[in-house]
Amino acid sequence: MRRGAFLLPPLLLSACRMVGTPTPPSPQPHPPAAPGEERARPAPEDPLQPETERLAGSVVDTALQAIGTPYRWGGTAANGFDCSGLIQFAYRRHGVDLPRRSGDQLRMGRPLSLAESGLQPGDILGFSEEAGGNSSHVGLYIGDGEFIHSSSSGVRISELGNPYWQVRLMAARRILR
């Protein structure tokens, strides 16, 4: 293990948190089902339509072109991005306006279950700074269990299956329908 590597994961999220970013509402627990009553099952995630899938692919491609761009707090352009700036930039290039701050982005579109099987490229993912906390970091799902985000080390791809990210994944939103 590299010296100092134990400090890197907390820095990834703390670098993205913006002062004054509103906290997204916590998910509300479902009330228990009455005896003999079945709880309604959520509808399966609907696949993207071909034209929407192409648009989502273009958004992902735009974000991927930014790999290696340095982290810059409040950054929204090719000279540096913060986490929400990267997401806003990638969508805006394709005519979709999103709010600037991560908490606001996580209120857009349609909420999704956090099961990886239901995620589609272009979905926005929200992460907490600590396991079980409120979302303070966003990334863009790119498929195959990976997401792109701007961390303290710049724009990079990370694996959603990494235990560090698994316990911090708090929200998923589908922007495109």
Side-chain angles (χ1 to χ4, degrees):
M1 178 188 249
R2 254 186 5 216
R3 184 177 170 174
F6 64 93
L7 295 176
L8 185 58
L11 289 175
L12 292 174
L13 291 175
S14 63
C16 186
R17 186 181 349 174
M18 295 183 67
V19 175
T21 300
T23 304
S26 301
Q28 297 299 314
H30 295 285
E37 178 184 319
E38 269 190 56
R39 184 186 313 260
R41 293 192 177 122
E45 301 299 339
D46 55 324
L48 298 177
Q49 297 300 317
E51 53 281 349
T52 304
E53 189 173 348
R54 281 191 291 279
L55 177 57
S58 296
V59 169
V60 167
D61 288 344
T62 297
L64 290 172
Q65 291 170 13
I67 288 178
T69 302
Y71 177 84
R72 187 172 138 215
W73 187 82
T76 60
N79 62 346
F81 293 105
D82 67 8
C83 65
S84 57
L86 173 65
I87 305 302
Q88 184 188 46
F89 175 83
Y91 270 97
R92 183 173 282 161
R93 285 285 174 142
H94 301 282
V96 179
D97 286 324
L98 290 178
R100 173 66 190 90
R101 299 184 320 183
S102 59
D104 294 333
Q105 289 177 356
L106 290 170
R107 289 184 189 91
M108 301 300 293
R110 183 170 60 84
L112 303 170
S113 75
L114 297 179
E116 187 179 322
S117 63
L119 296 175
Q120 296 287 327
D123 291 342
I124 296 177
L125 306 175
F127 299 91
S128 65
E129 191 168 326
E130 55 190 46
N134 293 317
S135 296
S136 59
H137 182 71
V138 289
L140 186 69
Y141 188 71
I142 62 174
D144 296 326
E146 296 180 323
F147 67 100
I148 187 168
H149 59 120
S150 185
S151 68
S152 58
S153 58
V155 178
R156 58 181 290 172
I157 294 174
S158 293
E159 293 182 21
L160 198 52
N162 178 311
Y164 177 83
W165 295 110
Q166 279 183 337
V167 298
R168 288 168 174 79
L169 180 62
M170 304 308 295
R173 304 294 288 204
R174 176 139 319 138
I175 302 302
L176 303 174
R177 296 182 185 200

